[in-house]
Amino acid sequence: MKFNLSLRLKVTFINTIVLILCSVILTIGTSLSAVRSIDLLSQFSPTESAASTIPSIPNKNNMLKDATVIEAKSLTQATSVAKGNIVMTSTFCMIVVIILGGIITYLTTKKSLEGVKNLSDEIKDISEHNLSKKIKEEGADDEIKDLTKSFNNMLSRIEDAFESQKQFSANVAHELRTPLAVIQMKIDVFKKRKEYTIEDYEKLIEIVEKNNNRLSKVVEELLSICNKDEIERSDKIKFSKILKSITDELKEVASNKNIDISIVEDIDGNRKEFYGNEQLLYRALYNLIENSIKYNNENGYVKIYLKEDNNFINIDIEDSGIGIKKEDYENIFKPFYRVDKSRSRKIGGSGLGLSIVKTVIQQHNGTIGVESNEFGSKFTIKIPYK
């Protein structure tokens, strides 16, 4: 059977055990010392010594010797009684000290643990509805105050994560609801018409297909972000080949805005072989380069710098685009975050691209950062060899 003791009782129990051990050791030591002292004194008793030195004289001397012997026996009996009294008194005092010590410990721990009890009571009042509530940091600078500070910091992190999750859920609902609402609206309008032409059917199918593709893309991107498990890194990666393939694929998109794309390589011929997930890396770099084109200015440029050494793969993607504010550096990697919502909606996209990029880079134990000004932005990727 398991007993759930309060912290106060546990502290009292531990202190009482320590007190018992100390009292037992002290009592045994004191009693042994006193008994040995009495034994030592009895060995040098003057009456016993006198009885052994009385000369053999008839009559009166014999009576004196008998009296001395009786007195020596009485002293021995008194010594035994004294020993017993010492042991009993020491044991009694030990028991009294243990009982009083336990009671005093129990009473004093109430005050000592009052801060823990107050902290526990305040924690019980906190739920998912009042995460902003903070615990008062009162009292001396002790462990309890440190615990209170740590708990308040944890509450702040939980609140931020909770709000981020709510925002994420709202954004997901919006992204999924919008194309569904468009489809439903077109179907409702279509049903109200009495006559239909082939063009009407084709237009409806086109709208349904377009929004269905949008839904599929959002779901696919959400799955990519949510997949935090360790990935398979068995593909031998040639970054120069991947970048060349991406730029070729996006060349037509860039030409529509007269944007020049170039790749600058600085590759060591004796470099190590890099292994990773080619499909994920291709998608991440594609998203990043595509964004550099989308948010670029007319007649601009996108320069891609590739450098491979013995320890890291370094990829810098620099553009002459609209730039990013410094306060948005961290936020742009969050799901659904848009620097300019009106422009992002006009250009298209779900707002998940950079979040996917960061997730893929982190899955390869790498890092991604950004620097920007009014003349453009520069994304820096650094991935270590496996």
Side-chain angles (χ1 to χ4, degrees), residues 169-183 211 214-220 222 336:
S169 300
N171 289 330
V172 170
H174 176 76
E175 292 295 330
L176 296 178
R177 184 175 61 245
T178 301
L180 289 174
V182 173
I183 293 174
N211 285 276
R214 181 180 174 184
L215 280 172
S216 299
K217 184 178 179 181
V218 170
V219 172
E220 185 180 351
L222 285 172
F336 299 108

Short mmCIF file of all heavy atoms in Angstrom, two decimals, residues 169-183 211 214-220 222 336:
data_model
loop_
_atom_site.label_atom_id
_atom_site.label_comp_id
_atom_site.label_asym_id
_atom_site.label_seq_id
_atom_site.Cartn_x
_atom_site.Cartn_y
_atom_site.Cartn_z
N SER A 169 -3.87 27.64 -36.11
CA SER A 169 -5.13 26.95 -36.39
C SER A 169 -6.09 27.84 -37.15
O SER A 169 -6.78 27.40 -38.09
CB SER A 169 -5.77 26.47 -35.09
OG SER A 169 -4.92 25.59 -34.40
N ALA A 170 -6.13 29.13 -36.75
CA ALA A 170 -7.02 30.07 -37.44
C ALA A 170 -6.58 30.26 -38.88
O ALA A 170 -7.42 30.33 -39.80
CB ALA A 170 -7.03 31.41 -36.70
N ASN A 171 -5.27 30.36 -39.10
CA ASN A 171 -4.76 30.53 -40.45
C ASN A 171 -5.03 29.30 -41.32
O ASN A 171 -5.37 29.41 -42.50
CB ASN A 171 -3.25 30.82 -40.42
CG ASN A 171 -2.95 32.20 -39.90
OD1 ASN A 171 -3.74 33.12 -40.05
ND2 ASN A 171 -1.81 32.36 -39.26
N VAL A 172 -4.86 28.11 -40.72
CA VAL A 172 -5.15 26.88 -41.45
C VAL A 172 -6.61 26.84 -41.86
O VAL A 172 -6.95 26.51 -43.01
CB VAL A 172 -4.80 25.65 -40.60
CG1 VAL A 172 -5.33 24.37 -41.25
CG2 VAL A 172 -3.29 25.54 -40.42
N ALA A 173 -7.50 27.18 -40.91
CA ALA A 173 -8.94 27.17 -41.21
C ALA A 173 -9.26 28.15 -42.33
O ALA A 173 -10.07 27.86 -43.22
CB ALA A 173 -9.73 27.52 -39.95
N HIS A 174 -8.61 29.31 -42.28
CA HIS A 174 -8.86 30.32 -43.32
C HIS A 174 -8.39 29.84 -44.69
O HIS A 174 -9.10 29.98 -45.70
CB HIS A 174 -8.16 31.62 -42.95
CG HIS A 174 -8.29 32.68 -44.00
ND1 HIS A 174 -9.44 33.41 -44.18
CD2 HIS A 174 -7.40 33.13 -44.93
CE1 HIS A 174 -9.27 34.26 -45.18
NE2 HIS A 174 -8.03 34.12 -45.65
N GLU A 175 -7.17 29.28 -44.73
CA GLU A 175 -6.62 28.82 -46.01
C GLU A 175 -7.44 27.68 -46.61
O GLU A 175 -7.55 27.56 -47.83
CB GLU A 175 -5.17 28.37 -45.82
CG GLU A 175 -4.20 29.48 -45.50
CD GLU A 175 -4.06 30.47 -46.65
OE1 GLU A 175 -4.22 30.05 -47.82
OE2 GLU A 175 -3.81 31.65 -46.39
N LEU A 176 -7.99 26.83 -45.75
CA LEU A 176 -8.81 25.73 -46.24
C LEU A 176 -10.23 26.18 -46.58
O LEU A 176 -10.86 25.65 -47.51
CB LEU A 176 -8.86 24.61 -45.19
CG LEU A 176 -7.54 23.93 -44.85
CD1 LEU A 176 -7.75 22.89 -43.77
CD2 LEU A 176 -6.94 23.28 -46.10
N ARG A 177 -10.72 27.14 -45.82
CA ARG A 177 -12.11 27.58 -46.02
C ARG A 177 -12.27 28.42 -47.30
O ARG A 177 -13.29 28.34 -47.98
CB ARG A 177 -12.58 28.38 -44.80
CG ARG A 177 -14.04 28.80 -44.87
CD ARG A 177 -14.49 29.48 -43.58
NE ARG A 177 -13.73 30.69 -43.33
CZ ARG A 177 -12.92 30.86 -42.31
NH1 ARG A 177 -12.73 29.88 -41.45
NH2 ARG A 177 -12.27 32.00 -42.14
N THR A 178 -11.26 29.23 -47.61
CA THR A 178 -11.38 30.15 -48.75
C THR A 178 -11.64 29.43 -50.08
O THR A 178 -12.62 29.75 -50.77
CB THR A 178 -10.13 31.04 -48.86
OG1 THR A 178 -9.98 31.78 -47.64
CG2 THR A 178 -10.25 31.99 -50.03
N PRO A 179 -10.82 28.47 -50.48
CA PRO A 179 -11.12 27.78 -51.75
C PRO A 179 -12.41 26.98 -51.70
O PRO A 179 -13.13 26.88 -52.71
CB PRO A 179 -9.91 26.85 -51.95
CG PRO A 179 -9.28 26.73 -50.61
CD PRO A 179 -9.55 28.00 -49.89
N LEU A 180 -12.75 26.42 -50.55
CA LEU A 180 -14.03 25.71 -50.42
C LEU A 180 -15.21 26.65 -50.61
O LEU A 180 -16.21 26.30 -51.24
CB LEU A 180 -14.11 25.02 -49.06
CG LEU A 180 -13.20 23.81 -48.86
CD1 LEU A 180 -13.28 23.33 -47.41
CD2 LEU A 180 -13.59 22.67 -49.82
N ALA A 181 -15.07 27.87 -50.04
CA ALA A 181 -16.15 28.87 -50.18
C ALA A 181 -16.31 29.30 -51.64
O ALA A 181 -17.44 29.49 -52.13
CB ALA A 181 -15.85 30.08 -49.30
N VAL A 182 -15.17 29.43 -52.35
CA VAL A 182 -15.23 29.80 -53.76
C VAL A 182 -15.94 28.71 -54.57
O VAL A 182 -16.80 29.00 -55.42
CB VAL A 182 -13.81 30.05 -54.32
CG1 VAL A 182 -13.86 30.26 -55.83
CG2 VAL A 182 -13.19 31.26 -53.64
N ILE A 183 -15.58 27.48 -54.31
CA ILE A 183 -16.21 26.35 -55.02
C ILE A 183 -17.71 26.31 -54.75
O ILE A 183 -18.53 26.16 -55.67
CB ILE A 183 -15.55 25.03 -54.59
CG1 ILE A 183 -14.10 24.97 -55.08
CG2 ILE A 183 -16.34 23.83 -55.14
CD1 ILE A 183 -13.33 23.77 -54.58
N ASN A 211 -9.13 25.53 -57.40
CA ASN A 211 -9.22 25.61 -55.93
C ASN A 211 -8.90 24.28 -55.26
O ASN A 211 -8.39 24.25 -54.15
CB ASN A 211 -10.62 26.09 -55.53
CG ASN A 211 -10.82 27.58 -55.77
OD1 ASN A 211 -10.44 28.41 -54.96
ND2 ASN A 211 -11.42 27.92 -56.91
N ARG A 214 -5.25 24.18 -55.05
CA ARG A 214 -4.80 25.05 -53.96
C ARG A 214 -4.95 24.35 -52.62
O ARG A 214 -4.06 24.41 -51.77
CB ARG A 214 -5.62 26.35 -53.98
CG ARG A 214 -5.20 27.33 -52.89
CD ARG A 214 -6.05 28.59 -52.95
NE ARG A 214 -5.76 29.48 -51.82
CZ ARG A 214 -6.41 30.61 -51.59
NH1 ARG A 214 -7.38 31.00 -52.41
NH2 ARG A 214 -6.10 31.35 -50.55
N LEU A 215 -6.09 23.68 -52.43
CA LEU A 215 -6.29 22.92 -51.19
C LEU A 215 -5.24 21.83 -51.03
O LEU A 215 -4.67 21.64 -49.95
CB LEU A 215 -7.69 22.30 -51.18
CG LEU A 215 -8.86 23.20 -50.80
CD1 LEU A 215 -10.18 22.45 -51.03
CD2 LEU A 215 -8.76 23.63 -49.35
N SER A 216 -4.97 21.11 -52.09
CA SER A 216 -3.99 20.02 -52.04
C SER A 216 -2.60 20.55 -51.68
O SER A 216 -1.86 19.93 -50.91
CB SER A 216 -3.94 19.29 -53.38
OG SER A 216 -5.20 18.73 -53.69
N LYS A 217 -2.25 21.70 -52.26
CA LYS A 217 -0.94 22.29 -51.99
C LYS A 217 -0.82 22.70 -50.52
O LYS A 217 0.21 22.46 -49.88
CB LYS A 217 -0.72 23.50 -52.89
CG LYS A 217 0.66 24.11 -52.74
CD LYS A 217 0.85 25.28 -53.69
CE LYS A 217 2.24 25.89 -53.49
NZ LYS A 217 2.45 27.07 -54.39
N VAL A 218 -1.88 23.31 -49.98
CA VAL A 218 -1.85 23.73 -48.57
C VAL A 218 -1.69 22.52 -47.66
O VAL A 218 -0.89 22.52 -46.72
CB VAL A 218 -3.13 24.52 -48.21
CG1 VAL A 218 -3.21 24.74 -46.70
CG2 VAL A 218 -3.16 25.85 -48.93
N VAL A 219 -2.47 21.47 -47.92
CA VAL A 219 -2.39 20.25 -47.09
C VAL A 219 -1.01 19.62 -47.19
O VAL A 219 -0.43 19.21 -46.17
CB VAL A 219 -3.48 19.24 -47.53
CG1 VAL A 219 -3.28 17.91 -46.80
CG2 VAL A 219 -4.87 19.79 -47.24
N GLU A 220 -0.47 19.57 -48.39
CA GLU A 220 0.86 18.99 -48.59
C GLU A 220 1.93 19.78 -47.83
O GLU A 220 2.82 19.22 -47.20
CB GLU A 220 1.19 18.95 -50.08
CG GLU A 220 2.50 18.26 -50.40
CD GLU A 220 2.79 18.23 -51.89
OE1 GLU A 220 1.88 18.60 -52.67
OE2 GLU A 220 3.91 17.87 -52.27
N LEU A 222 1.44 21.74 -45.21
CA LEU A 222 1.22 21.56 -43.77
C LEU A 222 1.84 20.25 -43.28
O LEU A 222 2.45 20.20 -42.21
CB LEU A 222 -0.28 21.59 -43.46
CG LEU A 222 -0.96 22.95 -43.50
CD1 LEU A 222 -2.47 22.79 -43.35
CD2 LEU A 222 -0.43 23.85 -42.39
N PHE A 336 2.36 30.86 -42.31
CA PHE A 336 1.30 31.80 -42.69
C PHE A 336 1.66 33.27 -42.46
O PHE A 336 0.81 34.14 -42.65
CB PHE A 336 -0.02 31.48 -41.97
CG PHE A 336 -0.57 30.13 -42.27
CD1 PHE A 336 -0.54 29.12 -41.31
CD2 PHE A 336 -1.10 29.85 -43.51
CE1 PHE A 336 -1.04 27.86 -41.59
CE2 PHE A 336 -1.60 28.59 -43.79
CZ PHE A 336 -1.57 27.59 -42.83
#
